[in-house]
Amino acid sequence: MLIQIATIGKLKEKYLVAGIAEYAKRLGPYVKLLLTEVPDEKAPETMSPAEEAQVRDREGERLLAQIKPDAHVIALALDGELWSSEDLAVQLDKLATYGKSHVAFVIGGSTGLSPAVLRRAQQKLSFGRMTLPHQLMRLVLIEQVYRAVKINRGEPYHK
């Protein structure tokens, strides 16, 4: 299975880079992992709603250009479904069983995901109602993907 994590912006924080690299290494024997970073849109700190929409749309176009047509897209969104680790494992197992060998998780930038990306997504996933930095979500997501893989294989890790 190919797991793609498509995100906005380059990850700069060394501790996040190191954490993601560790989980990418751990996932290596189980899945093909593709970490896709697209440039964020340069924008001022304070923006009007129209400017925020423009930023989301431009970043969304860049994200969509990196996702293959046959990918099953799961967008991370505050209004998405709340899944447990076991639920994520079940979802990934079902996708693999029914021939969806490419799953793309999409994480938006600081202004969120564009309507076009949300329309492209077959599912929306939320990690809770709290807003987390999109850079931190990369680490949280990759750890949960690793946990789901271990659950599906019946291997120790998940407790």
Side-chain angles (χ1 to χ4, degrees), residues 8-69:
I8 298 294
K10 182 153 180 61
L11 194 58
K12 297 175 190 108
E13 293 83 0
K14 289 181 182 173
Y15 70 96
L16 294 174
V17 171
I20 290 167
E22 176 61 26
Y23 283 105
K25 182 177 85 176
R26 291 183 188 189
L27 277 165
Y30 305 110
V31 299
K32 182 174 183 195
L33 182 66
L34 175 61
L35 301 174
T36 307
E37 294 179 334
V38 300
D40 56 344
E41 189 68 21
K42 302 301 177 222
E45 279 294 315
T46 56
M47 294 182 279
S48 70
E51 290 170 320
E52 284 187 9
Q54 285 180 332
V55 166
R56 270 192 303 274
D57 290 345
R58 288 185 192 123
E59 290 176 344
E61 289 171 9
R62 291 184 192 128
L63 283 169
L64 291 172
Q66 298 299 315
I67 298 169
K68 292 196 163 86

Side-chain angles (χ1 to χ4, degrees), residues 82-94:
L82 294 170
W83 293 345
S84 66
S85 298
E86 293 85 358
D87 292 337
L88 177 59
V90 167
Q91 291 293 325
L92 292 178
D93 190 51
K94 279 184 187 175

